Amino acid sequence: MKVLAFGTSNSRNSINQKLARYSAAQIDDAIDNVNVTLLDIHDLEMPIFSEEREKESGIPAFAHDFYQAIGEADAIVISFAEYNGSYTSAYKNLFDWASRIDMKVYQDKPMIMLATSPGPSGAQSVLAAAEGSAPFFAADVKGALSLPNFFDNFDAETGVVTDEAFNQKLNEAISAL
């Protein structure tokens, strides 16, 4: 099984990238013969989408790379960072470009959607938006989980989520993959 995992922040210190990495490791432990690819969207930055830019230059190679990485995966783990109650501009731009290749960006892949933030909301606003729009973009959501208060629930030294209720829900979502 090939699993693609990534956080939707372009920050090199992204807590959502850390949560995606942790969750991918849990999948690797739970399922035999798993090959996990960790994607860093910081490496896929491109011009801000516009129809004019698309007409002038076409769809950037990074958008094709992203779409292809999803296509090659058997399952996807996305951890959504929340900026001002919504998607990060880096992810929204990447997603918008990829949707110009095919609106079914997620290509009917089974998926675990995650979100975390330093505060008590755990980025639930962006997670709800992502889960609500998932069917329009061909996502087969097997679980949507929020981890509030990231720094209280994640051991930075070991890279492990310490919230047992979250871990139990994550294991249930992994079982559904």
Side-chain angles (χ1 to χ4, degrees):
M1 171 184 257
K2 294 179 184 176
V3 176
L4 178 67
F6 61 94
T8 66
S9 171
N10 62 344
S11 169
R12 292 286 186 199
N13 297 313
S14 169
I15 60 177
N16 279 280
Q17 187 72 4
K18 291 175 184 176
L19 184 59
R21 182 180 301 117
Y22 168 77
S23 300
Q26 299 311 297
I27 293 170
D28 192 30
D29 289 344
I31 301 173
D32 292 332
N33 299 317
V34 171
N35 179 6
V36 174
T37 299
L38 291 169
L39 181 71
D40 186 342
I41 70 166
H42 177 77
D43 299 329
L44 300 176
E45 289 185 11
M46 59 190 101
I48 295 172
F49 171 78
S50 74
E51 289 182 7
E52 292 81 12
R53 193 168 279 130
E54 181 183 7
K55 286 177 185 172
E56 291 169 9
S57 306
I59 298 171
F62 285 151
H64 288 280
D65 294 346
F66 178 67
Y67 185 82
Q68 182 177 343
I70 291 171
E72 292 173 354
D74 297 310
I76 303 167
V77 174
I78 302 177
S79 188
F80 290 93
E82 183 175 282
Y83 289 5
N84 299 315
S86 190
Y87 297 100
T88 66
S89 56
Y91 182 69
K92 182 72 168 89
N93 190 51
L94 176 60
F95 185 86
D96 287 347
W97 276 113
S99 74
R100 300 301 284 189
I101 298 165
D102 185 342
M103 283 296 293
K104 296 181 179 184
V105 174
Y106 298 126
Q107 304 172 53
D108 296 311
K109 304 296 178 168
M111 171 183 301
I112 298 174
M113 291 184 165
L114 308 167
T116 191
S117 71
S121 75
Q124 290 181 25
S125 293
V126 72
L127 182 61
E131 187 177 15
S133 68
F136 301 107
F137 303 106
D140 180 10
V141 180
K142 299 300 184 183
L145 310 159
S146 169
L147 180 66
N149 304 308
F150 180 80
F151 295 106
D152 295 335
N153 291 306
F154 187 83
D155 184 330
E157 287 185 27
T158 61
V160 172
V161 171
T162 58
D163 182 315
E164 288 308 316
F166 176 88
N167 285 326
Q168 182 178 354
K169 291 177 185 173
L170 178 59
N171 288 331
E172 290 169 9
I174 290 169
S175 295
L177 289 177

